[in-house]
Coordinates of all heavy atoms in Angstrom, one line a residue:
F1 N 0.8 -1.2 0.0 CA 0.0 0.0 0.0 C 0.9 1.3 0.0 O 0.5 2.2 -0.7 CB -0.9 0.0 1.2 CG -2.0 1.0 1.2 CD1 -2.8 1.2 0.0 CD2 -2.3 1.8 2.3 CE1 -3.8 2.1 0.0 CE2 -3.3 2.8 2.2 CZ -4.1 2.9 1.1
I2 N 2.0 1.2 0.7 CA 2.9 2.3 0.8 C 3.7 2.4 -0.5 O 3.9 3.4 -1.1 CB 3.8 2.3 2.0 CG1 3.0 2.4 3.3 CG2 4.9 3.3 1.9 CD1 3.8 2.2 4.6
G3 N 4.3 1.2 -0.9 CA 5.2 1.1 -2.0 C 4.6 1.6 -3.3 O 5.2 2.2 -4.1
V4 N 3.3 1.2 -3.5 CA 2.7 1.5 -4.8 C 2.5 3.0 -5.0 O 2.2 3.5 -6.1 CB 1.4 0.8 -5.0 CG1 0.3 1.4 -4.2 CG2 1.0 0.6 -6.4
Q5 N 2.5 3.8 -3.9 CA 2.3 5.2 -4.0 C 3.6 6.0 -4.3 O 3.5 7.2 -4.7 CB 1.8 5.8 -2.6 CG 0.6 5.0 -2.0 CD -0.6 5.0 -2.9 OE1 -0.8 5.9 -3.7 NE2 -1.4 4.0 -2.7
V6 N 4.7 5.4 -4.2 CA 6.0 6.0 -4.5 C 6.1 6.4 -5.9 O 6.0 5.6 -6.8 CB 7.2 5.1 -4.0 CG1 8.5 5.8 -4.4 CG2 7.1 4.8 -2.6
N7 N 6.4 7.7 -6.2 CA 6.6 8.3 -7.5 C 5.4 7.9 -8.4 O 5.6 7.6 -9.6 CB 7.9 7.8 -8.1 CG 9.1 8.3 -7.4 OD1 9.1 9.4 -6.9 ND2 10.1 7.5 -7.3
H8 N 4.2 7.9 -7.9 CA 3.0 7.5 -8.7 C 2.7 8.6 -9.7 O 2.5 9.8 -9.3 CB 1.8 7.3 -7.8 CG 0.7 6.5 -8.4 ND1 0.1 6.9 -9.6 CD2 0.1 5.3 -8.1 CE1 -0.8 6.0 -9.9 NE2 -0.8 5.0 -9.0
P9 N 2.7 8.3 -11.0 CA 2.4 9.3 -12.0 C 1.0 9.8 -11.9 O 0.1 9.2 -11.2 CB 2.6 8.6 -13.3 CG 3.5 7.4 -13.0 CD 3.0 7.0 -11.6
H10 N 0.7 10.9 -12.5 CA -0.7 11.4 -12.6 C -1.6 10.5 -13.3 O -1.2 10.0 -14.4 CB -0.7 12.8 -13.2 CG -2.1 13.4 -13.4 ND1 -2.9 13.8 -12.3 CD2 -2.8 13.6 -14.5 CE1 -4.0 14.2 -12.8 NE2 -4.0 14.1 -14.1
L11 N -2.8 10.2 -12.8 CA -3.7 9.3 -13.5 C -4.4 10.0 -14.6 O -5.1 11.0 -14.4 CB -4.7 8.8 -12.5 CG -4.2 7.7 -11.5 CD1 -5.3 7.4 -10.4 CD2 -3.8 6.4 -12.2
D12 N -4.2 9.5 -15.8 CA -5.0 10.0 -17.0 C -5.1 8.9 -18.0 O -4.5 7.8 -17.8 CB -4.4 11.3 -17.5 CG -3.0 11.2 -17.9 OD1 -2.5 10.0 -18.2 OD2 -2.2 12.2 -17.9
A13 N -5.8 9.2 -19.1 CA -6.0 8.1 -20.1 C -4.7 7.7 -20.8 O -4.5 6.6 -21.1 CB -7.0 8.6 -21.2
E14 N -3.8 8.7 -20.9 CA -2.5 8.3 -21.6 C -1.7 7.4 -20.7 O -1.1 6.4 -21.2 CB -1.7 9.6 -21.8 CG -0.4 9.3 -22.5 CD 0.4 10.6 -22.8 OE1 -0.2 11.7 -22.5 OE2 1.5 10.5 -23.3
F15 N -1.7 7.6 -19.4 CA -0.9 6.8 -18.5 C -1.6 5.4 -18.4 O -0.9 4.4 -18.2 CB -0.9 7.4 -17.1 CG -0.2 6.5 -16.0 CD1 1.1 6.1 -16.2 CD2 -0.9 6.1 -14.9 CE1 1.7 5.3 -15.3 CE2 -0.3 5.3 -13.9 CZ 1.0 4.9 -14.1
A16 N -2.9 5.3 -18.6 CA -3.6 4.0 -18.5 C -3.2 3.0 -19.6 O -3.5 1.8 -19.5 CB -5.1 4.3 -18.6
T17 N -2.5 3.5 -20.6 CA -2.1 2.6 -21.7 C -0.7 2.1 -21.6 O -0.2 1.4 -22.4 CB -2.2 3.4 -23.1 OG1 -1.3 4.5 -23.1 CG2 -3.6 3.9 -23.3
T18 N -0.1 2.4 -20.5 CA 1.3 2.0 -20.3 C 1.4 0.8 -19.4 O 0.5 0.4 -18.7 CB 2.1 3.2 -19.5 OG1 1.6 3.3 -18.2 CG2 2.0 4.5 -20.3
A19 N 2.6 0.1 -19.6 CA 2.9 -1.1 -18.8 C 3.0 -0.8 -17.3 O 2.5 -1.6 -16.5 CB 4.1 -1.8 -19.3
E20 N 3.5 0.4 -17.0 CA 3.6 0.8 -15.6 C 2.3 0.8 -14.9 O 2.1 0.4 -13.8 CB 4.3 2.1 -15.4 CG 4.5 2.5 -14.0 CD 5.1 3.9 -13.8 OE1 5.6 4.5 -14.9 OE2 5.2 4.4 -12.7
Y21 N 1.3 1.4 -15.6 CA -0.1 1.4 -15.1 C -0.6 0.0 -14.8 O -1.2 -0.2 -13.7 CB -1.0 2.2 -16.0 CG -2.4 2.1 -15.6 CD1 -2.9 3.0 -14.7 CD2 -3.3 1.2 -16.2 CE1 -4.3 2.9 -14.3 CE2 -4.6 1.1 -15.8 CZ -5.1 2.0 -14.9 OH -6.4 1.9 -14.5
T22 N -0.4 -0.9 -15.7 CA -0.9 -2.2 -15.5 C -0.3 -2.9 -14.3 O -0.9 -3.6 -13.5 CB -0.6 -3.1 -16.7 OG1 -1.3 -2.5 -17.9 CG2 -1.1 -4.5 -16.6
V23 N 1.0 -2.7 -14.1 CA 1.8 -3.2 -13.0 C 1.2 -2.7 -11.7 O 1.0 -3.4 -10.7 CB 3.3 -3.0 -13.1 CG1 4.0 -3.4 -11.8 CG2 3.8 -3.8 -14.3
R24 N 1.1 -1.3 -11.6 CA 0.6 -0.7 -10.4 C -0.8 -1.1 -10.1 O -1.1 -1.4 -8.9 CB 0.7 0.8 -10.6 CG 2.1 1.4 -10.5 CD 2.1 2.9 -10.6 NE 3.4 3.5 -10.5 CZ 4.1 3.8 -9.4 NH1 3.5 3.6 -8.3 NH2 5.3 4.3 -9.5
Q25 N -1.7 -1.2 -11.1 CA -3.0 -1.7 -10.8 C -3.0 -3.1 -10.3 O -3.8 -3.5 -9.4 CB -3.9 -1.6 -12.1 CG -4.3 -0.2 -12.4 CD -5.1 0.5 -11.4 OE1 -4.7 1.5 -10.8 NE2 -6.2 -0.1 -11.0
S26 N -2.2 -4.0 -10.8 CA -2.1 -5.4 -10.4 C -1.6 -5.5 -9.0 O -2.2 -6.3 -8.2 CB -1.2 -6.2 -11.3 OG -1.6 -6.2 -12.7
V27 N -0.7 -4.6 -8.6 CA -0.2 -4.6 -7.2 C -1.3 -4.1 -6.3 O -1.4 -4.6 -5.2 CB 1.1 -3.7 -7.1 CG1 1.5 -3.5 -5.7 CG2 2.2 -4.3 -7.9
K28 N -2.1 -3.1 -6.7 CA -3.2 -2.6 -5.9 C -4.2 -3.7 -5.6 O -4.7 -3.8 -4.5 CB -3.8 -1.4 -6.5 CG -2.9 -0.1 -6.6 CD -3.5 1.0 -7.3 CE -2.6 2.2 -7.5 NZ -3.2 3.2 -8.3
A29 N -4.5 -4.4 -6.7 CA -5.5 -5.5 -6.5 C -4.9 -6.6 -5.6 O -5.7 -7.1 -4.7 CB -5.8 -6.1 -7.9
L30 N -3.7 -6.9 -5.7 CA -3.0 -7.9 -4.8 C -3.1 -7.4 -3.4 O -3.3 -8.1 -2.4 CB -1.6 -8.2 -5.3 CG -0.8 -9.1 -4.4 CD1 -1.4 -10.5 -4.2 CD2 0.7 -9.1 -4.9
M31 N -2.8 -6.1 -3.2 CA -2.8 -5.5 -1.9 C -4.2 -5.6 -1.2 O -4.3 -6.0 -0.1 CB -2.4 -4.0 -2.0 CG -2.4 -3.3 -0.7 SD -4.1 -2.6 -0.2 CE -4.4 -1.5 -1.6
A32 N -5.2 -5.4 -2.0 CA -6.6 -5.4 -1.4 C -6.9 -6.9 -1.0 O -7.5 -7.1 0.0 CB -7.6 -4.9 -2.5
G33 N -6.5 -7.8 -1.8 CA -6.7 -9.2 -1.5 C -6.0 -9.7 -0.3 O -6.6 -10.3 0.6
L34 N -4.7 -9.3 -0.2 CA -3.9 -9.6 1.0 C -4.5 -9.0 2.3 O -4.5 -9.6 3.4 CB -2.5 -9.2 0.8 CG -1.7 -10.0 -0.2 CD1 -0.3 -9.4 -0.4 CD2 -1.5 -11.5 0.3
A35 N -4.9 -7.7 2.1 CA -5.5 -7.0 3.3 C -6.8 -7.6 3.8 O -7.0 -7.7 5.0 CB -5.7 -5.5 2.9
L36 N -7.6 -8.1 2.9 CA -8.8 -8.8 3.2 C -8.5 -10.1 4.0 O -9.2 -10.3 5.1 CB -9.6 -9.1 2.0 CG -11.0 -9.8 2.2 CD1 -11.9 -8.9 3.1 CD2 -11.7 -10.0 0.9
V37 N -7.5 -10.8 3.6 CA -7.1 -12.0 4.3 C -6.6 -11.6 5.7 O -6.9 -12.2 6.7 CB -6.0 -12.8 3.6 CG1 -5.5 -13.9 4.4 CG2 -6.6 -13.4 2.3
G38 N -5.8 -10.5 5.7 CA -5.2 -10.1 7.0 C -6.2 -9.6 8.0 O -6.1 -10.0 9.2
I39 N -7.2 -8.8 7.6 CA -8.1 -8.3 8.6 C -9.1 -9.4 9.1 O -9.6 -9.4 10.2 CB -8.9 -7.1 8.1 CG1 -9.8 -7.5 6.9 CG2 -8.0 -6.0 7.7 CD1 -10.8 -6.4 6.5
T40 N -9.3 -10.4 8.2 CA -10.1 -11.5 8.6 C -9.4 -12.3 9.7 O -10.1 -12.7 10.7 CB -10.4 -12.5 7.4 OG1 -11.1 -11.7 6.4 CG2 -11.2 -13.7 7.8
G41 N -8.1 -12.5 9.6 CA -7.3 -13.2 10.6 C -7.3 -12.4 11.9 O -7.4 -12.9 13.0
M42 N -7.2 -11.0 11.8 CA -7.3 -10.2 13.0 C -8.6 -10.3 13.7 O -8.6 -10.4 15.0 CB -7.1 -8.7 12.6 CG -5.7 -8.4 12.0 SD -5.7 -6.7 11.5 CE -4.3 -6.7 10.3
Y43 N -9.7 -10.3 13.0 CA -11.0 -10.4 13.6 C -11.2 -11.8 14.3 O -11.6 -11.8 15.5 CB -12.1 -10.2 12.6 CG -13.5 -10.4 13.2 CD1 -14.0 -9.5 14.2 CD2 -14.2 -11.5 12.9 CE1 -15.2 -9.7 14.8 CE2 -15.5 -11.7 13.4 CZ -16.0 -10.8 14.4 OH -17.2 -11.1 15.0
L44 N -10.8 -12.8 13.6 CA -11.0 -14.2 14.2 C -10.1 -14.4 15.4 O -10.4 -15.2 16.3 CB -10.7 -15.2 13.1 CG -11.7 -15.3 11.9 CD1 -11.3 -16.3 10.9 CD2 -13.1 -15.5 12.4
R45 N -9.0 -13.7 15.4 CA -8.0 -13.9 16.5 C -8.6 -13.3 17.8 O -8.3 -13.8 18.9 CB -6.7 -13.2 16.2 CG -5.7 -13.1 17.3 CD -5.1 -14.5 17.7 NE -4.1 -14.4 18.7 CZ -4.4 -14.4 20.0 NH1 -5.7 -14.4 20.4 NH2 -3.4 -14.4 20.9
Q46 N -9.5 -12.3 17.7 CA -10.0 -11.7 18.9 C -11.6 -11.5 18.8 O -12.1 -10.5 19.3 CB -9.4 -10.3 19.1 CG -9.4 -9.4 17.9 CD -8.4 -8.3 18.0 OE1 -8.1 -7.8 19.0 NE2 -7.8 -8.0 16.9

């Protein structure tokens, strides 16, 4: 979540066609999935 924000370019249609955009979006999706697993474990723990 922190790493993907580093040097993040401005979001626009031109940037959306680049490989960097695809990589960043894939990382964000992975982050959301991992966070969901993480908070589920936190809740079940307590």
Side-chain angles (χ1 to χ4, degrees):
F1 192 47
I2 295 174
V4 77
Q5 311 299 333
V6 177
N7 294 325
H8 199 301
H10 176 67
L11 286 172
D12 55 25
E14 182 178 357
F15 176 57
T17 63
T18 65
E20 180 184 353
Y21 172 81
T22 300
V23 171
R24 287 184 181 271
Q25 285 301 119
S26 300
V27 171
K28 292 175 185 177
L30 175 61
M31 178 275 299
L34 289 172
L36 184 57
V37 173
I39 65 171
T40 300
M42 293 176 201
Y43 174 68
L44 294 178
R45 174 68 178 84
Q46 52 196 324

